[in-house]
Amino acid sequence: MKKLIFSLAAGLVCAAFAQENLLKDGGFENIRKTPKASDKYIMSRIKMGWDFGPGPVAKIPANWVPNTGKVKFRVITVGENGENKENVAEGKNSIHVSGDNFHLYNASYLKPGKYKISFKYKGTGRVTVAFYAYGKDPKTGRSKHLTSRAPITAMAKANWQTLTREIEIGQWVPGIDRCTFVISGTKMDVYIDDIVVTPVK
Amino acid sequence: MLKRKSFFTKLLAAAVLLTGTAVSADFSMDGEYPWNKMGDSVVTPHRKFYKPLSGKKPKIFFIGYKLGMREITEFRQRFDCNYQYWPASNYKTFSAFEPKPLKVYAPTMDDKTYAAERKRIFADLADSDVIMLGKFQFADVPADLQKRMLNRVKAGASLILITYNDIMPKINGVTFRPMPMPKNIPAAAIPDLKGTKLSAASFGAGKIVVVDYEESKHFGRMVENLVPYDSCDPLYYEYNYAFLGALVRELTAKDLPVIAADKSGAVITGKLPAGAKIRVDYLDRFGKVKHSETYAAKTGKVYFQTPPSLPASVKMQDLFLLDAQGKVLNFASAPCTTFRTNLISSVKLDSDICGKDRKFSGVITMKGIPKGTLKLEATDNRGRIIYRSSMKAANGANKFAFTVPPFDSYSAKLNIKYLENGAMADEQETSIYFPIDRAAVQNDFQFAIWANCVSKSPVTRFTVEQMKKAGIDIIMDAEVMYYRDFSNIPPRLFHDYGIAYAIYLTRLVVEYKYQPLCNLSLASAVRDNKSYVDKNGKPFASNFNSIEKIVQNACKFGVAYYNLGDENAIGNHGLKELCLCNECAERFRKFLKQTYGTIQKLNAQYGSKFKDFSQIKPLPLDEAAEKELLPMWLDFRSFMDYSFTDWHKMIVDQIRRYDKTSAIGIEGLVYPAKSYSGFNLAHMLPNFDFCAPYFIARDIKALKYMKENAFKSAWYGTYEGEMGEQWVRQPPWRYLFAGLHGAFWWYAGYPGYSNASIYRMDLGYLKQFTQSADEIAKMKKSGIAKLIMDSRLRNDGVAVHYSQACLHAANLNPDKTTWELSINNIVELLQSMGIGFDYLTPAEILTGKLKGVKVLYLPNSQALSKAEAEVMRQFVRNGGLLVADYNPGIMDEHGKFLDESLLADVFGPMDKLNVKKYGKGHAVILYDYLDGAAQRAQKGTAAGIQRGLFNMFSKYAGVKPVATVLDSKGYPAEYTPYTNGTDHYLCFLGPLTEAVTAPKTTAGAEAGATEFVVSSGNMTRTVILPAAAHVYDVSKGKYLGKVKQFSFELDPAVGRVFAVTAAKAPVPAVAGPALLAYGKPADFKLSGVPNPCHVTITAPNGKVVLEMNVKANGTFRFVPSYDLPGGNYKVDVKNVISGSVKTITTTLK
């Protein structure tokens, strides 16, 4: 009983100090399986050059959206297709992307401000963190894309690396009120996992 | 570094361009918005009680919501005041923006504008004398505004809170005490006000008054804001406003002279201005003033008496105390008893709706010792007197029975007058109704609207009257399914105004389940039990009882159509893998057993090792792929499609138990080109005689599978987003040219925070609705709509393979295309080229329907049966042209991949644009040649592909369109060819030249339903015919001569029709009786013209008494009503094509 109480207390202390990841599912743990031919958006990505693997179903991180790109894209799951922990840094899943270029954006929005960003990656080629920035059109009051920036970039290596940076986003042009987080890359064959964005106070 | 930055910038720009459409969801800013639109221009019949008002007009700040906002205008028609108003979202939500933002379809403003409007409007509280909340609870007003209102009351204003059923407002520190009702309104004698209680509390220098209407049997719609629910009596409804007016007057005007009725006249108290008068109005039970007198006013008693000549129908006496200028100082009302003793005590019909025999019967009960005559007269919804008779009145029961001549009426008011010595002694009225004839409703292009009308409120009644004035032919009530006990209201309401009744009866979506059985298993349960109820008498589904009750009520009236649902689908919006429940699994096993017979045959097909059928379990696509059971997945989807159809068919059968003739179907088809929706249109549509899909060319084309004489239409209106003039004028033309029989507007809506409405705040129309209504009226009046409806779309010998197996197979092998993309490409392209074509299903192909076809196109037709492939092979061998885009016949009809295409020998190498001669015919693989053709055809940038296909069809199959049409750049231009015998009608749709104010993206199922491109203004068209022919510009009423080529300029956004005929269009002939008699049908017969004619009959007084379009060589009927003048009637019959008119004269005696 004492052990249980201690565990609970320890958990509460940890939770109090842990910063919540502002990205939805930065570790690619939630997966959606979508029939390719019934999903107009996914079919348009396939026609653009995204390869989601053989068969009729595309396996995609549930809170991430494939945007531009011409890549082979796979969700790596430990225990499936002979995968072990080697290609997954944290949890059960990671993503494996190889090809010319890609943009995969997260479904959550970030307000302008300072953030600590970290992610794990390995392989070859360049991995980039970018942001699409939006603000209100003063004429219509509607949301409008204002600019895009790619402030973090790194070359991948054979072993898992962790990149951690503090950056300020959204100050690039006046009027930005929200940004979308994008993981992207060029001429790469990389595994990416455990992307965490936390606010810097 | 610089170079890399530049690369990223480009990449990001491209990425964001694509992301942009995913994050924005807006509607255009075009059209008129309802916000802030409450004027005085829309006037309803009313009695003025306090108008014009003597002295200072009070300023009233109203809060109301939805259609009930009209009651503010109604009040103002009867009470002279300055005003301001605030529209709440509904009876408990202050606005679409607070207390929490609501999701609003087509919002009328953004939050910044809202904040400014809130500030502007509530600034008017500062000088308001009265704040009136119409059944909107004070507690639901935001705290800051509550405070401002109470501050205003503290400073001397009055707050009137209208409520009902003893729902008392709670305001801190305020205790309400009973308050006497205004003495000048006899509330106890007015049925709707009987039981109304007033409570009040002083608050600073002002007062808070609660108006609590007595409990009502209202049923939830709550249209009424200011007046009691269900108050609709033509006389007493007025007094609801008189009562509120009296209350406002009492609260705002001090030291007023007061008038009150008494037995021998009136009593006036208080000081009167010089020249004051009393006007006394006597009102009958219909609210009509039957007599009026004026007397000089003086303080004290004023004597006058009810005139003895007044009929017994007079029920109220209104007294107006007027100043010298005739302005109202005060008002009073009292019940009025006349001196009549012989009167009609009741009129009872055996039924208010007649059968096909048009017979009515009933009893008039008289009171007293009647010696006079009863006169019966029926005036129909068009104001015609359609029946007249009289009978001697007797004491007690006076039975009557009569038959109404065959007028095309929907309803009539049966007026019964009791006459004594030639004078009217009493009068009663009741409504009678006639069933509508489905064929008559479908005779011409129909303008229908989606509305909610289960209400007795005169405001709702007014909206229906307004719709009729706009030209609405059919109202689909979307509310009655929730209020089955009130399903007697809408058909009567609509028939009162000559509008046909359509019913949104139920909605069939698998995910919504209200009973233990799976929805898709209901049909089996009903079939197995031969009943819609189980052994305990409980319906298998909760909606069965509703359906039964509504249909039983409605079928007597004749229903324009029963709608079995909007956006029905197996899964909500058709994207879920349903249904994998145990019941469906069991039914699937039975289906497989029927299909394959033995488990061995099934295993041979699937490559599986099932020991028996009990081991089979339906699998979602990913599991089916993993277990290499994709053919089983395809079979399961096909089975689900059949089940979905079965479900609908079961409801059709249920309706048919009571209604044998009305149209039944569905509308708003969602994602029928996707695997999970449940739609197999070729299988489902033969069960329906009504369908209104979203306007997607691919699905419209599939309507050919409906029953003969089916009623086909599509929706437009606010759901499309754009409300600019061209955007609302064009759809009806587009629908007509696509072979549809009507244009349905979604939806009537409510004035307020959404532009998905046809109404301004005062229930006048927003201009976009009247613009569209105006266009439809033109289409009908010109006869063009009837001309096209009575013709048929030309087929140039081209068929498109339409296979459900291929639709599903696209999921098994998503390659360079999908079935949806492929069929969209060919359909849009052929339409843009003016090539007439039809779909052919595998079943049609196997039953010889390829005969006469020159070209068969296979859109992503991956899954073919051997038999199907063999017929196609023969088709080519015999000279046909077989064209495919991707992967023809690489699977069997169950989705089993084959080692080689079933048509490998016919096509040869599957290389792009490979043309192979096979027998007498040819086969062509297009591969990606048509990729993106649908969008390019819409944008007008498909000229290369169009020419390529023209050449291919012409060279290898001899396809020759009825005309070559070019735009000003010499590119092929779109038109739709219709044929009628040897005549051809070329239909051109004027492009949209008006850009929307702001981009919009409709969300949900409607997205992509309309994808139109604004033209840069290339409006010239040149038409080249194969040989010289007589050409008529039907739209402009011009004969262009016998020509081989002609050019013209299109008008933006509207249709233009040319008739191309071998012989000159003849003058019509018409035969009919020389003499007409009142109430006797006169039948006229047209001849000599192969197309519809426009008929008008004009009375001697110049009034047009009949106007309609009549089919080629058809007949039409004219029944002279009893109100028409005798004399010569002119019958004009106009050939719709040429405009030539034949006139005959007939005489009414």
Side-chain angles (χ1 to χ4, degrees), chain B residues 1118-1137:
Chain B
F1118 174 53
V1119 190
S1121 56
Y1122 296 95
D1123 54 312
L1124 288 180
N1128 290 338
Y1129 282 68
K1130 198 161 67 104
V1131 181
D1132 291 318
V1133 179
K1134 186 174 83 175
N1135 184 337
V1136 164
I1137 287 178

Side-chain angles (χ1 to χ4, degrees), chain A residues 87-100:
Chain A
N87 293 327
V88 176
E90 292 287 336
K92 204 178 168 193
N93 296 338
S94 69
I95 57 169
H96 179 204
V97 197
S98 56
D100 286 350

Side-chain angles (χ1 to χ4, degrees), chain B residues 565-679:
Chain B
D566 172 60
E567 300 195 349
N568 289 0
I570 278 198
N572 193 9
H573 287 174
L575 292 172
K576 252 187 174 177
E577 187 107 37
L578 294 171
C579 172
L580 301 168
C581 78
N582 289 337
E583 288 164 44
C584 286
E586 184 54 36
R587 291 187 309 108
F588 179 51
R589 286 189 278 272
K590 280 186 189 167
F591 168 79
L592 290 178
K593 205 168 182 179
Q594 279 172 358
T595 307
Y596 292 101
T598 65
I599 197 72
Q600 290 76 18
K601 282 184 184 168
L602 178 140
N603 282 333
Q605 173 65 36
Y606 292 172
S608 53
K609 291 177 180 170
F610 292 115
K611 287 180 182 162
D612 57 57
F613 284 98
S614 67
Q615 289 187 322
I616 297 171
K617 191 181 144 202
L619 299 170
L621 184 60
D622 58 328
E623 286 183 38
E626 279 166 20
K627 294 181 179 172
E628 297 185 352
L629 284 170
L630 287 176
M632 187 175 90
W633 179 87
L634 192 147
D635 278 349
F636 182 62
R637 288 317 329 159
S638 301
F639 170 67
M640 282 287 104
D641 297 341
Y642 295 142
S643 297
F644 192 52
T645 295
D646 247 16
W647 192 18
H648 286 78
K649 196 171 173 311
M650 173 194 67
I651 306 289
V652 172
D653 292 343
Q654 194 189 6
I655 296 168
R656 285 282 175 248
R657 299 203 301 180
Y658 305 98
D659 190 332
K660 307 287 181 207
T661 54
S662 299
I664 307 172
I666 53 169
E667 44 93 3
L669 314 183
V670 281
Y671 310 121
K674 293 191 190 301
S675 268
Y676 303 101
S677 65
F679 286 107

Side-chain angles (χ1 to χ4, degrees), chain B residues 751-858:
Chain B
Y753 295 87
S754 168
N755 207 29
S757 169
I758 59 173
Y759 305 116
R760 298 151 46 107
M761 295 285 184
D762 53 13
L763 301 190
Y765 282 133
L766 296 173
K767 68 178 183 185
Q768 53 267 29
F769 181 66
T770 49
Q771 285 161 348
S772 200
D774 170 58
E775 201 58 43
I776 292 174
K778 282 184 201 164
M779 290 164 64
K780 289 167 86 164
K781 195 170 174 65
S782 66
I784 290 176
K786 176 77 173 161
L787 177 74
I788 301 304
M789 282 172 65
D790 283 6
S791 313
R792 60 180 181 81
L793 275 163
R794 184 182 148 92
N795 188 324
D796 288 301
V798 177
V800 173
H801 186 230
Y802 190 70
S803 161
Q804 193 74 1
C806 295
L807 182 160
H808 291 313
N811 270 302
L812 308 186
N813 185 36
D815 192 4
K816 301 291 180 193
T817 186
T818 63
W819 183 82
E820 182 181 9
L821 286 171
S822 281
I823 198 161
N824 284 352
N825 280 334
I826 189 63
V827 167
E828 294 285 351
L829 196 62
L830 290 175
Q831 290 198 344
S832 75
M833 293 159 66
I835 290 182
F837 66 98
D838 261 326
Y839 288 154
L840 285 182
T841 60
E844 287 175 304
I845 286 172
L846 293 176
T847 51
K849 295 282 181 354
L850 266 178
K851 194 178 176 187
V853 171
K854 297 172 181 171
V855 180
L856 176 62
Y857 186 91
L858 307 180

Side-chain angles (χ1 to χ4, degrees), chain B residues 684-701:
Chain B
M684 175 186 261
L685 292 178
N687 297 293
F688 295 154
D689 25 36
F690 158 73
C691 189
Y694 287 116
F695 192 85
I696 297 170
R698 174 197 69 227
D699 302 333
I700 297 293
K701 205 74 195 166

Side-chain angles (χ1 to χ4, degrees), chain B residues 438-439 442 663 688-690 706-712 741:
Chain B
R438 181 178 155 198
Q442 288 179 215
F688 295 154
D689 25 36
F690 158 73
M706 295 182 72
K707 286 181 182 174
E708 206 173 328
N709 300 324
F711 185 20
K712 305 166 187 172
H741 309 141

